[in-house]
Amino acid sequence: QVQLVESGGGLVQAGGSLRLSCVASGRTFSRYAMGWFRQAPGKEREFVAAISQSGGSTYYADSVKGRFTSSRDNAKNTVYLQMNSLKPEDTAVYYCAAGSIVVPQAHLYGYWGQGTQVTVSS
């Protein structure tokens, strides 16, 4: 079992930055690939980024590539999503998720956090 808690969301102006954190419970955090997803009102949940168990490999949606960076600190059981050059279309609830492989498909992640709201004003 893994419990995930996101934090770091908020309101920011376009062009600004935020860093999301996701802290995992348990001692097996390093065994999990971690994903970031987001869901805007009236839209389906979409893949944002993923990072491998070691942190050596990362993958990003085209819409955030070059602006967002995912990293992890296994000693702190934490994964991060650094979001720069934010746009109004980045507004959504952001979720972290834990799974066994690094994939963009949400249904392959078995554990999810409760989400944190990110709002980007124009």
Side-chain angles (χ1 to χ4, degrees):
Q1 278 280 23
V2 177
Q3 292 185 322
L4 304 172
V5 179
E6 303 98 333
S7 63
L11 174 64
V12 64
Q13 288 189 330
S17 298
L18 283 174
R19 188 176 80 157
L20 305 183
S21 299
C22 172
V23 179
S25 64
R27 296 176 291 178
T28 60
F29 176 71
S30 61
R31 296 181 184 179
Y32 292 96
M34 299 298 295
W36 287 96
F37 294 81
R38 66 187 182 187
Q39 188 167 19
K43 295 187 177 181
E44 294 186 353
R45 189 169 298 190
E46 65 172 354
F47 169 75
V48 175
I51 186 167
S52 63
Q53 286 83 340
S54 68
S57 297
T58 52
Y59 303 90
Y60 300 95
D62 288 343
S63 58
V64 306
K65 203 171 293 184
R67 300 188 298 122
F68 291 11
T69 302
S70 185
S71 61
R72 66 190 294 164
D73 185 339
N74 286 342
K76 295 183 178 179
N77 280 14
T78 303
V79 61
Y80 304 97
L81 185 67
Q82 177 67 45
M83 305 186 296
N84 299 328
S85 302
L86 282 161
K87 305 175 181 180
E89 51 264 44
D90 294 319
T91 296
V93 177
Y94 282 71
Y95 300 88
C96 67
S100 58
I101 55 175
V102 183
V103 292
Q105 291 87 357
H107 71 276
L108 294 177
Y109 289 82
Y111 302 98
W112 290 81
Q114 83 291 348
T116 186
Q117 176 71 47
V118 171
T119 302
V120 184
S121 63
S122 57

